[in-house]
Amino acid sequence: MSSVLSEVNSYYVLHASAASHPSGRTAVVLGPSDSGKTSTLIALLERGLTMVCDDYAPLAHESGCVTALPVGVTVSRQTVSMFPWLEGALNPICEFAHNGQTQWTFQPADRFNVADPYSIYGNLDFFLLEPAFGQPSGIDSCSTEES
């Protein structure tokens, strides 16, 4: 569990991405590194959801709500291969290496709806990605009560 959760002050910091649906529900996609959180987020954004955060989701202890942190989205070559339009959105200035892999950061607000920074999102649905090491990741949902 430590790979998806850490505690900072009055928040749990989830290793997760989150997107909000116009209905008011917010999908929180948790998982370890390279499990597909960002790819899942991009797929949700392509379907009209609003970006709440990528990679880190601050979950308030008391309210159980997520605070929006809609900063740049970091993608790998594998993610770019799944979303070819990303090739034109990548800025070479935002290129870096992480664990021997080239990655880029792009600004989702250039293409998608993004939440206002620090806005609060409740009505959460949690999804846990299970890495399949080179294969498509599996995804399991759980209710708020289970999380």
Side-chain angles (χ1 to χ4, degrees), residues 3 31 40-41 43 49 58 67 98-99 121:
S3 66
T40 302
L41 173 67
L49 278 73
T67 300
H98 177 69
N99 291 337
Y121 287 82

Side-chain angles (χ1 to χ4, degrees), residues 10-12 14 25-26 28 57-67 120-126 144-145 147:
S10 60
Y11 290 90
Y12 294 111
L14 306 177
R25 305 289 311 170
T26 300
V28 180
L59 178 71
H61 287 182
E62 290 188 25
S63 69
C65 294
V66 168
T67 300
I120 305 300
Y121 287 82
N123 299 315
L124 307 177
D125 295 305
F126 293 88
T144 305
E145 294 77 30
S147 54

Side-chain angles (χ1 to χ4, degrees), residues 6 24 84 111 133:
S6 59
R111 184 174 180 106
F133 306 106

Side-chain angles (χ1 to χ4, degrees), residues 13 16 18 41 51-59 66-73 108 114-119 121:
V13 180
L41 173 67
M51 179 187 168
V52 175
C53 51
D54 181 48
D55 221 18
Y56 298 100
L59 178 71
V66 168
T67 300
L69 297 174
V71 296
V73 173
V114 297
D116 291 330
Y118 309 112
S119 51
Y121 287 82

Side-chain angles (χ1 to χ4, degrees), residues 20-100:
S20 179
H21 188 271
S23 69
R25 305 289 311 170
T26 300
V28 180
V29 182
L30 299 105
S33 295
D34 298 322
S35 61
K37 295 178 303 297
T38 298
S39 297
T40 302
L41 173 67
I42 293 170
L44 293 171
L45 298 179
E46 285 184 328
R47 287 158 180 78
L49 278 73
T50 297
M51 179 187 168
V52 175
C53 51
D54 181 48
D55 221 18
Y56 298 100
L59 178 71
H61 287 182
E62 290 188 25
S63 69
C65 294
V66 168
T67 300
L69 297 174
V71 296
V73 173
T74 300
V75 295
S76 65
R77 175 59 57 199
Q78 183 176 359
T79 303
V80 173
S81 71
M82 290 186 283
F83 303 98
W85 60 264
L86 270 171
E87 199 70 56
L90 303 178
N91 181 339
I93 295 171
C94 299
E95 181 179 318
F96 61 96
H98 177 69
N99 291 337

